[in-house]
């Protein structure tokens, strides 16, 4: 036998009007047409590369520094004109797919779960120690030999307040995971009748073992916090009925 059930949910959360009559309230980071909770910041578009020295200099930067979007294209970056909504922690939709399979004495259940369209403020991604003077996460940082667009070049003279470091926190938090898998085997009854036992089932359960996302190895279901990460768990058990 094989039985399945599927769930799908979509939450259309949107501010339709503000009491101040404006389309935004920067004090609370509320914007008409957007969810109540958004991330409002500069938008990182990459890392300045070799060959872009002249363009980077216009913004007071150089290769290896974080490049952010010049929204109004006025040749400078400022908090008033160049910060935008870079995402929201609200997923566009969530779905679940549950399966139960039984064949002779064997049984298998697996639950797949996904959230799509959310932006996470990831402590693991943004906690880059650019000065290298203390322990930090392993990241893909820029060097002339490694022209990545992920993290800026290390610089012992900089600290965590370097320009636009906050943009490193925002990551695509969409994920698909096999949250729970249980494999079981029921011992045939004819082997148990002689010892007065009606049922014996051996099983093993695996929780949070398989996650597919852009945030490896971090499990984004937690929402970006590194203080309370999702844990992987294996349980072995025996059910006995007399």
């Amino acid at each position: 036998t094989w039985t399945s059930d599927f769930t799908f949910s979509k939450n259309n959360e949107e501010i339709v009007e503000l009491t101040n009559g404006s389309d935004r309230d920067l004090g609370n980071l509320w914007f008409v047409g957007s969810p109540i909770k958004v991330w409002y910041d500069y938008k990182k578009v990459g890392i300045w590369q070799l060959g872009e020295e002249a363009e980077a200099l216009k913004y007071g930067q150089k290769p290896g520094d974080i490049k952010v979007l010049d929204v109004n294209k006025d040749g400078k970056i400022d908090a008033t004109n160049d910060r935008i909504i870079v995402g929201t922690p609200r997923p566009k939709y969530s779905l679940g797919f549950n399966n139960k399979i039984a064949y002779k004495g064997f049984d298998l259940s697996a639950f797949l779960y996904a959230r799509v369209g959310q932006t996470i403020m990831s402590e693991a991604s943004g906690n880059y120690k650019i000065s290298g003077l203390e322990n930090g996460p392993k990241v893909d940082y820029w060097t002339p030999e490694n022209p990545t667009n992920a993290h800026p070049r290390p610089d012992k003279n900089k600290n965590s307040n370097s320009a636009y470091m906050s943009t490193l926190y925002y990551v695509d938090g969409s994920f698909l995971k096999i949250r729970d898998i249980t494999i079981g085997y029921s011992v045939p009854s004819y082997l148990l009748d002689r010892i007065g036992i009606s049922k014996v089932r051996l099983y093993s359960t695996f929780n949070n073992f398989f996650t597919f996302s852009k945030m490896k190895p971090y499990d984004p279901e937690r929402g970006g916090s590194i203080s309370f990460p999702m844990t992987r768990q294996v349980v072995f058990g025996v059910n006995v009925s007399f």
Side-chain angles (χ1 to χ4, degrees), residues 1-4 99-104 106-110 182 184:
T1 62
W2 185 340
T3 59
S4 299
N99 293 273
K100 294 182 180 180
I101 302 172
Y103 178 73
K104 295 184 177 180
F106 295 93
D107 62 88
L108 168 69
S109 64
T182 299

Side-chain angles (χ1 to χ4, degrees), residues 24-93:
R24 61 185 57 196
D25 178 345
L26 291 180
N28 292 297
L29 295 183
W30 292 339
F31 302 86
V32 172
S34 298
I36 293 175
K37 181 71 172 180
V38 298
W39 308 124
Y40 185 70
D41 205 339
Y42 302 104
K43 181 176 178 60
K44 174 177 172 284
V45 293
I47 303 295
W48 290 106
Q49 301 294 330
L50 294 176
E52 298 180 312
E53 289 86 349
E55 184 68 17
L57 187 60
K58 295 178 183 178
Y59 298 95
Q61 296 185 281
K62 55 187 176 181
D65 289 342
I66 297 173
K67 182 197 295 186
V68 298
L69 180 65
D70 183 0
V71 175
N72 61 354
K73 302 186 184 302
D74 63 352
K76 61 180 181 180
I77 303 296
D78 63 82
T80 301
N81 299 303
D82 295 304
R83 289 188 301 163
I84 59 174
I85 297 173
V86 295
T88 173
R90 308 293 196 250
K92 291 182 179 179
Y93 57 87

Side-chain angles (χ1 to χ4, degrees), residues 201-205 235-239:
R201 178 175 175 268
L202 312 173
Y203 70 91
S204 180
T205 298
V235 176
F236 299 96
V238 180
N239 299 129

Side-chain angles (χ1 to χ4, degrees), residues 180-221:
D180 302 299
I181 301 176
T182 299
I183 302 173
Y185 176 72
S186 297
V187 179
S189 58
Y190 68 85
L191 297 177
L192 304 174
D193 291 341
R194 297 179 180 180
I195 56 177
I197 297 177
S198 61
K199 183 177 180 180
V200 173
R201 178 175 175 268
L202 312 173
Y203 70 91
S204 180
T205 298
F206 302 84
N207 296 323
N208 297 316
F209 257 77
F210 304 100
T211 301
F212 307 94
S213 77
K214 296 180 180 180
M215 297 180 62
K216 294 180 180 180
Y218 183 83
D219 187 335
E221 185 176 2

